Amino acid sequence: MSLRHTGPGPGDAFRPGPQRPRPHRRRPRNRRRRPRLPAWTATLTWKAAVFITVMCCALAALLGALVHVSVTRQTVDQAREKALSRLDDVTTRYETGEPLGPWGQLDPPGLPEQLRALALGGQRGTVVTEYEGDPTMWAAGPADGRAIAVRVDYALSAQTITNLDRAILGSSVLAIGATLLVGAFSVSRVTSRLHLTAQVARRIGAGDLDARVNDPRTKDPSRPEDEVATVSAALDTMASALQEKLLNEQRFTADVAHELRTPLTGLSAAAELLPPGRPSELVQDRVRTLRALTEDLLEISRLDAGGETVDLDIHELAPLAERVVRPVRAAGSETELRIARRARVETDKRRLERVLNNLITNAHTHGAPPVVVTVDGAEVSVRDHGRGYPAYLLERGPQRFRTESGGKGHGLGLTIAVGQAAVIGAELTFADAPDGGAVARLRLPEYVHLADAPPMPDGTPDVLDKRA
């Protein structure tokens, strides 16, 4: 028998056969999402409670099983010894020809078959089963080819085991409940301290550098410190160091700005005495820029110190915006004022004008005309048509001495605007317009007079003065 090679030879060309199209894998359309657990299940108290409950249940089950097995074995052994003792007595009576007594019988009808077979095989044994509805301990042995057996009432022993199981279950439930309450109380004390530490950390992050945890365990050297006290002490130390550093920076900025004012005043006077010409104009322009920078630094230092006082009064918002826009238009800048809805606001006029002037100046300096100032109720928006705000400003707000517009400006105008807006209780936000350009929105507390307040169901005004 010979083998025939049917494949391609060395000189044959390989011709690929028809390829089967690969099956298209379909993406699962509706994937079942895992159910999201409630937020409270992620808390340390919940996890500790679950852990304590599971451990207590496991320990109670283990101890209960050990006690149940030990007591059951002891009870069964006692009943078996009693039954075997009676069996010996009955067997002796049978061998001597005496009556078997009330306990012994030959081949009793209720004898379990496995025990009967054991006795007929020449061995003795015991078994617990039900006889006439009651638990019974049987003992049987051989007697001349027959089975001689005795039975002992096992109901009392079975009831003892049942009562023991109930006692074990009840005590386990009580022990688990008590342990859970004590554990939850202990854990809640720890978690409350952690929550206090987290609240203080958030206050520090929001700018309240005077916030401290002041854990009593860190104040008393005689008391041992736990991990929470260590974290609290570290947070207080960090806050104190950060506060000291910021205060030093604020004092340095204020001192530098104050020290620069005196030589700048003399330099400005000297620049005015220079002969007319291009060099004189350049010197005077740089001196004005330096004076403006110094005044901005002084204003920022005052805002950082937090000692600013406001002069609140009721003003029409539209005339204030027009008052700020008018000199900007007079200087030749393309600025448009739109009034969608008039409203009265409770604010500090001088500080509000400072905020609006800085926003409009920033729009002209870093944006593109036209700049549109819109008054809509108690909200003023300033929009330009440039490239929009930088990404860092939209994420973290204005930053000092940082700008991305070709080196123009020092990044202090918007910083001052944010600080002054916070002083007068206004909200200043920055965003990019959907169709291009940057938009700054200033929301002020609106003032509603008694006559304009919405009436209550009985016809009386809702409030005397409403500030929305």
Side-chain angles (χ1 to χ4, degrees):
M1 181 177 180
S2 61
L3 296 176
R4 179 179 297 179
H5 179 69
T6 59
D12 296 337
F14 176 74
R15 297 180 180 179
Q19 298 182 356
R20 296 180 180 180
R22 296 181 178 179
H24 178 68
R25 295 182 178 179
R26 295 183 179 180
R27 297 180 179 178
R29 295 181 179 179
N30 298 325
R31 292 184 176 180
R32 294 183 178 180
R33 296 183 178 180
R34 297 178 58 184
R36 190 172 183 179
L37 297 177
W40 54 268
T41 58
T43 60
L44 183 60
T45 304
W46 164 254
K47 294 180 180 179
V50 172
F51 176 76
I52 292 173
T53 304
V54 172
M55 293 302 297
C56 288
C57 290
L59 184 61
L62 178 61
L63 294 178
L66 292 177
V67 172
H68 173 81
V69 170
S70 177
V71 173
T72 301
R73 181 178 299 173
Q74 182 179 3
T75 304
V76 171
D77 289 344
Q78 292 177 355
R80 180 180 293 113
E81 291 178 0
K82 184 177 180 180
L84 291 176
S85 176
R86 289 186 179 181
L87 180 62
D88 291 339
D89 182 53
V90 171
T91 303
T92 303
R93 289 173 178 270
Y94 175 77
E95 292 175 352
T96 59
E98 297 179 7
L100 299 182
W103 299 291
Q105 290 180 343
L106 289 173
D107 294 329
L111 184 65
E113 293 299 328
Q114 64 271 24
L115 186 59
R116 185 188 301 274
L118 184 66
L120 295 178
Q123 297 181 0
R124 302 198 320 172
T126 59
V127 67
V128 177
T129 183
E130 286 192 2
Y131 179 73
E132 296 180 355
D134 296 326
T136 303
M137 169 70 75
W138 287 92
D144 298 333
R146 302 173 67 184
I148 186 172
V150 296
R151 51 188 174 85
V152 177
D153 186 13
Y154 192 74
L156 183 60
S157 300
Q159 185 65 32
T160 301
I161 296 175
T162 302
N163 294 336
L164 176 65
D165 292 340
R166 292 176 180 175
I168 292 175
L169 180 60
S171 59
S172 300
V173 172
L174 291 177
I176 292 173
T179 306
L180 185 60
L181 290 177
V182 174
F185 174 74
S186 303
V187 173
S188 62
R189 293 189 62 184
V190 176
T191 55
S192 62
R193 294 168 59 196
L194 290 175
H195 285 311
L196 176 60
T197 305
Q199 291 176 3
V200 172
R202 283 192 288 267
R203 288 172 56 190
I204 294 173
D208 184 9
L209 298 181
D210 293 326
R212 297 291 185 274
V213 180
N214 292 327
D215 196 311
R217 291 169 179 80
T218 61
K219 303 297 182 181
D220 189 0
S222 62
R223 301 181 64 179
E225 293 186 6
D226 56 3
E227 290 77 3
V228 180
T230 303
V231 173
S232 302
L235 180 63
D236 290 346
T237 303
M238 181 198 68
S240 300
L242 180 61
Q243 185 179 31
E244 184 65 23
K245 182 179 179 180
L246 291 179
L247 289 177
N248 290 335
E249 292 181 356
Q250 293 173 8
R251 284 194 294 265
F252 175 77
T253 302
D255 293 342
V256 169
H258 278 291
E259 293 297 329
L260 286 177
R261 294 185 73 178
T262 301
L264 279 176
T265 302
L267 184 60
S268 178
E272 296 294 336
L273 300 177
L274 293 177
R278 181 60 179 169
S280 176
E281 294 178 358
L282 291 176
V283 172
Q284 293 176 4
D285 179 67
R286 294 298 90 191
V287 169
R288 284 192 296 267
T289 302
L290 189 56
R291 289 191 63 178
L293 176 59
T294 304
E295 296 297 331
D296 288 345
L297 289 176
L298 282 173
E299 187 171 356
I300 286 179
S301 65
R302 290 193 296 267
L303 291 173
D304 289 340
E308 295 289 294
T309 58
V310 293
D311 183 16
L312 297 178
D313 201 355
I314 309 302
H315 300 279
E316 288 283 346
L317 184 56
L320 292 181
E322 186 178 1
R323 180 176 175 178
V324 177
V325 171
R326 189 182 303 113
V328 178
R329 285 177 176 174
S333 300
E334 187 178 352
T335 307
E336 180 184 355
L337 176 62
R338 299 176 182 175
I339 300 176
R341 181 172 65 89
R342 295 181 177 271
R344 286 176 293 180
V345 295
E346 183 181 20
T347 186
D348 188 329
K349 180 176 67 173
R350 180 182 63 85
R351 298 182 187 276
L352 175 60
E353 292 177 353
R354 173 68 161 156
V355 173
L356 294 180
N357 184 72
N358 282 15
L359 294 178
I360 295 173
T361 302
N362 181 82
H364 282 291
T365 303
H366 303 286
V371 174
V372 180
V373 180
T374 304
V375 178
D376 187 4
E379 178 179 299
V380 183
S381 61
V382 179
R383 180 196 173 176
D384 61 58
H385 292 76
R387 295 179 300 175
Y389 289 116
Y392 78 88
L393 191 146
L394 296 177
E395 293 176 1
R396 297 181 294 275
Q399 300 181 16
R400 304 171 188 181
F401 298 104
R402 180 173 180 179
T403 179
E404 297 182 1
S405 57
K408 297 185 294 182
H410 303 283
L412 299 180
L414 292 183
T415 303
I416 293 174
V418 171
Q420 294 289 10
V423 171
I424 63 178
E427 180 185 3
L428 180 58
T429 58
F430 303 95
D432 287 339
D435 53 348
V439 181
R441 291 184 174 87
L442 181 68
R443 297 180 180 87
L444 297 159
E446 185 174 358
Y447 176 85
V448 179
H449 194 262
L450 173 62
D452 301 328
M456 297 183 70
D458 57 355
T460 59
D462 186 8
V463 291
L464 294 180
D465 289 330
K466 178 182 178 183
R467 293 164 177 83

